[in-house]
Amino acid sequence: MNSGRYMRHDSKAVKIDEWRVCFKSLASSVAALKELETGHYLWKVRRKKFRGIKWYKRKFRIDYEKLYLHYLPASNPISKKLYVVAPTKLFRFDLADVVEVRRGFSTDTFNEVQRMMKTTSKKNKFLIPENCVSIIFDHRSKGKSESGYTLDLVCSNEEIRNKWFDAFDQLLESMKEVEYQKEYELYLRERFNAADMSKNGYLFLNEFTLLLKQINIEMEEEEIIKVFNEANSDKTLVDGKHVLDETEFLKFFHKLLQRSDLSEIFEQVSNKYKGLAITPKELQDFMIKEQGYSLSVDECKEIIEDYEIKDKGVLSKVTNLYMGWKAFLRFVMGSSLFLIEHRVKSENVYQDMTQPLSQYFINTSHNTYLIGNQVTSDSSIDGYIRALKSGCRCVELDCWDGPDGEPIIYHGWTLTSKLLFKDVLMDAIKPYAFMTSPYPVILSIENHCSREQQDKMAEHFKTILGELLYNEPVDQSLSQLPSPESLKHKILIKAKKIKLTATGSIDIGTTSDDFVETPSVASLSLRQILENSYTEADIPRVPTRKESVQAKKDLRKKSKEEEMVKTSILTQSRALSDLVNYIEAVKFSGFEDERKCWEMSSLEESKASGFCSSEATASKFLSFNSTNLSRIYPKGTRLFSSNLDPLPMWAAGCQMVALNFQEADRTNMLNRAKFLQNGNCGYVLKPSVLSNPEIYSLQNTDKLGKMQGRKKTKLHLRLISGQHLPNASDRLAGEIIEPYVKIRIHGHAADMAEWQSKVVPKNGFNPIWQEVADFNISVPELAIVEFKVKAKAKTVGGQDDHLGSFSIALPMMRRGYRNITLQNYEGKRLTPANLFVYINMEDDVLTKENIKI
């Protein structure tokens, strides 16, 4: 039996960065990896904003012991002097920040190099995909490459390129096994280095005092001196003063991990040897009754062996196994069996995937190509790669006419940079579409291209995506959409289709709104287009044929940009139209209009909110969403990539709520919590009650309360304690935080609730709360629980600091004693920052006897 343990912060490292040591064997076991310790001369390729593409020949080598990628500096005097001063500190990349390695032309930099390289360049013979490798850094990390999120390298031949790729590939695979240990030890390293102001690898008393403040421990001066002297076991002197080295610091730190809140649990569980040890049978009872795991006694023995005895020689002599206090401490703090998240549900698809597409929430991105704001930021294929790897199943391609007959992707009428349409398909969509999930990917096309370039788009879709592209025509006899299961490993195009006359020609009487989701730009100002601040009155009525002729004459007088866009709106490609099938976009004109199940509409958030706010339209909206897809997108005034509130839209059954994934905000945190369900496959089955507007209402749950067999949930939460809470970034090192916790229930309007704990004075290291929060939840399928840790403001009337958060869908929560690792809004874990809670959930099933009349 696998006890479900993975390393978090339960191992007592002898040295900081001990997690790196486990990779040393890689270099000795693989000859090719050993060669990289000596290194190779490679070209580092960088994009400079004003200087264009630059090549730098540097010698790169891997330090397997400390896991750094080192390179020799440039030959200029300044770089040489810096290298002499700190050869192992500068000119290096920390491999802990690497998240991916790619072969070939697979980054924005390499794609631009291809286009800009002169045919006469001597480097052209090396610039082939077989020689190129890119190292991708975590975009949320402080330690990313100085050139951005990628380090793009050109090797002299394919053999050398493969050695570098294989080395990083194996390192990344190995790092997954010690991910939590790595994060924990990186935290300790950061704390130690921040306190080590003298940069000599030791801590003087004054630096040790600073360290205590940094980890939010409040002590009097006399007590600080006492614990410093106790920790200083080696009595090492530097400049005549006592110091602590890394080992002594770690011993001191682990002494601080004594948990009074856990000692009470240990006392309760240990009955035979009260307060001394837990027997395998007692551990089994605890895991079944409190944690909800059906473990056998033998499985509990394996857990005890894993946490109590590491020495196999000692283990062979032991006849009776018991779990002592220290082993129990390691078990509760370090085992996945104490995580709040239901890992079986987060790692496996467990819902019925044979329902029509309209019966699922679909993880959806807006303006996926942007990695910043909506006006001036970069467009990047990494926007698509990050979205797809995170489980997104609907991405947006904003397509415009580009040079040399090649369509481009960017946010039109803005200063955002441009991508080649074919590069996005080749480098992002095709290789990453099904890396995280096998279920269908939807490409939402916002089309501003001329007919010729739409033909080119269709050509690229077919030649690049190949068999992945679902290009079968719709089955006209269907009354409901196909299922995700039937469309596995298929890419569908969401776009408008050409309307044909009886003779088969394009119907020129079709309005421009049938083709794009914005009104005709000929009558709108640039500001209106940018801000999406137009009304129905601004949109021209459908012209007659005579008026159309006159309009074409007037069009020539318009600006060149407006003429280009107007033309692109009115011309269409049959080849592209033929690729659109079960996700056909049509203009929404009313709930009463008859439509096929495969005809879907995109609605701006204000319009969708209007439908939700009225009970009359809300029920029609629910009915619409039970058979047809709807995509809700942000209003155009959100220029800085803020997000709409997805909760009312989900409650209304809207399948695709398009969010700006690049924004680090609470909305994206809630979206991640929503779609962690069902194995993070990007599809979450909607509650069946959402298809029954006669019983289900957006405004209240009165009728639901009378539905026999319907389950409500009583959620009981006990906030016990916190550990290693982070300091606020703008606080002085000498200030200790005063934390408190907010718990919110998100979901159906009737279930929205908030609870707040008391403030713990001056203790962010191990605050104790022992407070209870109770919630009654009527629509548990939609509920998301948010934990938010804040610190009391430094000054009266000031704003409280946000320290970290965690959100989880209610169906994903485990009962019992649970650890909650805090995250920032980017989704990056703030290891080892943690909340410790106790959870109990009871289903209140409505029967004839308890239904209120």
Side-chain angles (χ1 to χ4, degrees):
M1 175 261 177
N2 185 339
S3 63
R5 182 177 71 91
Y6 59 84
M7 299 302 291
R8 275 159 54 91
H9 45 272
D10 57 332
S11 62
K12 289 194 175 184
V14 178
K15 291 182 66 178
I16 298 176
D17 292 346
E18 190 177 271
W19 67 273
R20 300 176 189 267
V21 177
C22 65
F23 301 105
K24 288 176 68 177
S25 59
L26 275 176
S28 57
S29 62
V30 184
L33 302 189
K34 183 69 176 175
E35 182 182 326
L36 302 188
E37 280 189 307
T38 305
H40 296 121
Y41 278 96
L42 309 173
W43 281 284
K44 179 172 68 172
V45 185
R46 292 178 60 186
R47 285 191 302 167
K48 299 284 190 177
K49 210 157 199 175
F50 301 108
R51 293 165 56 199
I53 301 297
K54 293 294 178 184
W55 292 61
Y56 304 91
K57 194 168 187 179
R58 301 283 185 268
K59 187 174 184 180
F60 287 84
R61 65 177 180 85
I62 295 178
D63 180 346
Y64 286 100
E65 184 171 350
K66 297 184 177 178
L67 279 191
Y68 286 105
L69 174 64
H70 293 272
Y71 63 97
L72 291 176
S75 57
N76 63 71
I78 296 177
S79 294
K80 284 184 174 180
K81 282 184 179 179
L82 287 172
Y83 187 75
V84 170
V85 172
T88 60
K89 299 289 185 183
L90 301 173
F91 307 104
R92 72 181 188 184
F93 300 104
D94 192 336
L95 300 191
D97 297 322
V98 177
V99 294
E100 188 184 354
V101 59
R102 300 176 194 161
R103 284 180 282 214
F105 299 151
S106 54
T107 63
D108 299 319
T109 297
F110 273 134
N111 286 332
E112 192 166 334
V113 170
Q114 287 182 85
R115 295 192 290 271
M116 297 181 65
M117 278 290 286
K118 297 176 182 177
T119 54
T120 56
S121 173
K122 294 180 181 179
K123 299 186 183 75
N124 261 355
K125 64 179 180 180
F126 298 109
L127 189 65
I128 57 175
E130 292 77 12
N131 291 351
C132 298
V133 62
S134 297
I135 299 162
I136 315 301
F137 296 86
D138 190 337
H139 65 282
R140 306 165 300 180
S141 173
K142 300 174 185 175
K144 64 187 180 187
S145 158
E146 82 276 12
S147 57
Y149 305 113
T150 68
L151 175 61
D152 298 288
L153 303 171
V154 179
C155 306
S156 56
N157 58 58
E158 185 177 1
E159 183 184 356
I160 291 176
R161 191 284 303 269
N162 287 342
K163 288 177 181 178
W164 282 93
F165 178 85
D166 292 342
F168 274 92
D169 194 43
Q170 290 185 48
L171 285 169
L172 287 169
E173 194 62 34
S174 300
M175 272 196 273
K176 291 177 184 176
E177 299 175 12
V178 290
E179 188 174 1
Y180 285 90
Q181 184 184 357
K182 179 188 79 172
E183 291 176 3
Y184 178 59
E185 291 180 11
L186 286 174
Y187 164 81
L188 294 179
R189 163 66 69 187
E190 187 179 341
R191 297 277 68 82
F192 188 90
N193 287 343
D196 181 18
M197 295 182 294
S198 57
K199 304 303 176 189
N200 61 3
Y202 297 94
L203 296 181
F204 292 104
L205 177 60
N206 64 316
E207 293 173 333
F208 179 72
T209 304
L210 175 64
L211 174 66
L212 293 178
K213 301 290 186 183
Q214 286 178 346
I215 59 178
N216 286 304
I217 296 177
E218 176 81 355
M219 283 188 186
E220 296 295 330
E221 186 176 351
E222 290 181 4
E223 192 176 358
I224 292 173
I225 295 172
K226 179 183 176 183
V227 297
F228 179 84
N229 289 333
E230 287 175 355
N232 184 20
S233 56
D234 292 346
K235 307 300 179 186
T236 305
L237 295 176
V238 173
D239 296 335
K241 297 179 182 177
H242 285 285
V243 293
L244 300 185
D245 60 19
E246 284 186 0
T247 303
E248 291 170 328
F249 161 67
L250 283 172
K251 286 180 180 177
F252 160 76
F253 190 83
H254 287 299
K255 277 186 178 180
L256 295 175
L257 297 180
Q258 302 301 316
R259 297 265 303 270
S260 59
D261 53 328
L262 294 187
S263 63
E264 294 173 11
I265 302 170
F266 182 74
E267 186 82 16
Q268 293 168 9
V269 177
S270 56
N271 290 312
K272 186 175 182 179
Y273 304 103
K274 198 68 175 175
L276 297 174
I278 297 172
T279 67
K281 183 64 173 69
E282 289 170 346
L283 182 60
Q284 181 195 32
D285 292 341
F286 171 72
M287 296 304 290
I288 292 173
K289 294 175 184 176
E290 295 292 357
Q291 299 302 101
Y293 297 112
S294 299
L295 301 181
S296 67
V297 172
D298 285 341
E299 288 171 327
C300 290
K301 286 180 179 178
E302 287 184 31
I303 291 174
I304 294 174
E305 289 175 6
D306 198 13
Y307 284 90
E308 183 65 59
I309 303 172
K310 301 295 181 184
D311 190 319
K312 296 298 180 183
V314 173
L315 182 61
S316 63
K317 300 174 184 177
V318 173
T319 53
N320 295 311
L321 280 171
Y322 303 104
M323 178 177 275
W325 158 243
K326 289 184 178 179
F328 183 74
L329 185 68
R330 287 193 292 270
F331 179 45
V332 176
M333 291 171 61
S335 171
S336 61
L337 297 176
F338 288 86
L339 283 180
I340 188 173
E341 167 196 321
H342 197 305
R343 292 184 71 199
V344 174
K345 290 185 176 182
S346 66
E347 295 173 3
N348 299 278
V349 173
Y350 59 90
Q351 295 178 339
D352 179 8
M353 301 303 288
T354 63
Q355 299 294 314
L357 283 173
S358 58
Q359 295 304 311
Y360 297 86
F361 298 114
I362 303 172
N363 199 353
T364 302
S365 164
H366 173 252
N367 286 356
T368 317
Y369 47 90
L370 293 181
I371 55 174
N373 68 58
Q374 304 287 305
V375 182
T376 60
S377 71
D378 285 335
S379 302
S380 172
I381 62 169
D382 277 289
Y384 291 99
I385 292 171
R386 292 170 197 165
L388 291 168
K389 287 176 71 175
S390 71
C392 180
R393 296 290 85 190
C394 178
V395 297
E396 185 174 13
L397 288 75
D398 201 341
C399 305
W400 297 76
D401 279 0
D404 304 319
E406 288 290 346
I408 57 173
I409 292 176
Y410 86 113
H411 200 194
W413 304 100
T414 69
L415 301 177
T416 55
S417 59
K418 301 172 177 65
L419 301 172
L420 277 180
F421 176 82
K422 65 179 181 181
D423 286 345
V424 170
L425 295 186
M426 180 66 76
D427 298 331
I429 305 301
K430 185 177 182 179
Y432 291 92
F434 304 107
M435 179 175 283
T436 299
S437 166
Y439 293 102
V441 167
I442 299 167
L443 304 184
S444 179
I445 309 300
E446 187 173 320
N447 206 336
H448 305 275
C449 291
S450 62
R451 185 185 63 197
E452 292 75 18
Q453 296 215 10
Q454 288 184 34
D455 283 340
K456 180 61 74 172
M457 288 170 60
E459 178 187 329
H460 288 324
F461 276 136
K462 288 187 281 190
T463 57
I464 295 173
L465 299 181
E467 292 184 357
L468 294 178
L469 181 66
Y470 188 84
N471 56 10
E472 298 292 324
V474 297
D475 181 347
Q476 297 286 337
S477 66
L478 289 180
S479 59
Q480 61 183 24
L481 287 165
S483 69
E485 186 68 29
S486 68
L487 295 170
K488 282 173 85 169
H489 296 107
K490 290 298 178 184
I491 296 172
L492 291 90
I493 308 300
K494 172 198 151 310
K496 315 272 176 158
K497 282 183 76 73
I498 290 176
K499 305 298 181 183
L500 300 178
T501 64
T503 61
S505 61
I506 297 175
D507 183 0
I508 60 172
T510 304
T511 71
S512 60
D513 275 331
D514 286 326
F515 297 116
V516 295
E517 293 165 2
T518 55
S520 170
V521 297
S523 63
L524 301 179
S525 68
L526 177 61
R527 178 173 293 277
Q528 282 177 300
I529 295 168
L530 277 173
E531 297 184 354
N532 205 22
S533 58
Y534 44 79
T535 64
E536 291 292 327
D538 295 317
I539 304 174
R541 63 185 177 82
V542 180
T544 64
R545 288 178 181 269
K546 186 176 180 181
E547 290 170 332
S548 293
V549 172
Q550 182 60 43
K552 288 180 181 177
K553 291 179 181 178
D554 295 340
L555 189 61
R556 298 188 185 98
K557 301 175 184 178
K558 299 293 182 182
S559 69
K560 185 178 179 181
E561 292 85 357
E562 288 181 341
E563 183 176 348
M564 180 181 68
V565 176
K566 180 69 177 179
T567 305
S568 71
I569 287 172
L570 294 178
T571 57
Q572 288 289 294
S573 157
R574 290 197 187 195
L576 182 60
S577 180
D578 288 345
L579 298 181
V580 179
N581 35 57
Y582 287 106
I583 318 288
E584 180 186 345
V586 300
K587 182 188 175 185
F588 182 85
S589 53
F591 292 117
E592 287 73 26
D593 290 359
E594 186 178 339
R595 62 171 64 198
K596 303 291 186 182
C597 64
W598 56 81
E599 294 178 326
M600 61 82 61
S601 289
S602 290
L603 303 170
E604 191 253 18
E605 61 173 293
S606 301
K607 192 168 189 175
S609 295
F611 292 154
C612 296
S613 60
S614 163
E615 194 159 350
T617 54
S619 62
K620 293 178 181 178
F621 202 17
L622 283 163
S623 296
F624 175 90
N625 287 326
S626 66
T627 57
N628 295 77
L629 297 177
S630 65
R631 175 180 173 270
I632 315 302
Y633 61 93
K635 56 188 177 184
T637 50
R638 296 183 181 274
L639 298 181
F640 294 99
S641 299
S642 61
N643 277 307
L644 63 98
D645 183 1
L647 296 162
M649 307 305 157
W650 289 331
C654 300
Q655 297 85 359
M656 297 185 279
V657 184
L659 300 181
N660 293 305
F661 276 28
Q662 73 274 26
E663 183 66 11
D665 60 7
R666 182 166 71 179
T667 302
N668 271 308
M669 178 183 69
L670 296 175
N671 191 70
R672 287 190 294 270
K674 179 83 170 176
F675 289 101
L676 186 64
Q677 300 178 84
N678 205 26
N680 195 33
C681 75
Y683 288 83
V684 173
L685 190 62
K686 297 196 300 188
S688 58
V689 72
L690 265 64
S691 297
N692 191 349
E694 293 182 2
I695 294 177
Y696 177 81
S697 167
L698 296 183
Q699 282 72 35
N700 57 66
T701 57
D702 296 345
K703 292 182 180 178
L704 274 181
K706 299 176 182 179
M707 184 178 175
Q708 190 173 339
R710 175 76 190 161
K711 291 182 181 179
K712 293 183 177 181
T713 297
K714 292 181 178 179
L715 174 62
H716 173 84
L717 280 168
R718 177 152 52 95
L719 174 65
I720 300 173
S721 62
Q723 293 79 40
H724 310 294
L725 300 184
N727 215 330
S729 57
D730 61 340
R731 285 179 182 258
L732 298 175
E735 294 179 333
I736 307 296
I737 61 169
E738 300 190 321
Y740 64 94
V741 178
K742 280 188 176 182
I743 300 175
R744 289 191 179 98
I745 306 297
H746 302 276
H748 190 280
D751 291 332
M752 304 292 265
E754 182 176 310
W755 174 90
Q756 182 174 314
S757 76
K758 67 185 180 185
V759 176
V760 176
K762 292 195 172 184
N763 185 355
F765 185 75
N766 55 359
I768 300 290
W769 280 284
Q770 294 289 6
E771 294 185 67
V772 171
D774 290 300
F775 303 95
N776 292 311
I777 302 172
S778 298
V779 193
E781 304 99 319
L782 295 178
I784 297 174
V785 185
E786 177 193 3
F787 298 85
K788 188 171 189 175
V789 182
K790 304 191 79 173
K792 205 68 180 169
K794 295 174 285 186
T795 56
V796 176
Q799 189 171 5
D800 292 352
D801 296 310
H802 176 212
L803 305 180
S805 294
F806 183 83
S807 288
I808 185 168
L810 186 68
M812 296 292 293
M813 287 177 66
R814 284 278 199 182
R815 67 177 177 87
Y817 292 98
R818 298 292 163 186
N819 288 306
I820 301 173
T821 302
L822 296 179
Q823 302 175 352
N824 60 20
Y825 278 157
E826 289 182 304
K828 191 174 179 68
R829 284 191 297 263
L830 301 175
T831 307
N834 188 72
L835 292 178
F836 188 60
V837 299
Y838 179 80
I839 299 167
N840 190 35
M841 290 177 284
E842 294 180 8
D843 285 336
D844 185 7
V845 182
L846 299 174
T847 62
K848 286 183 180 180
E849 289 73 25
N850 63 14
I851 291 176
K852 296 177 182 177
I853 306 299

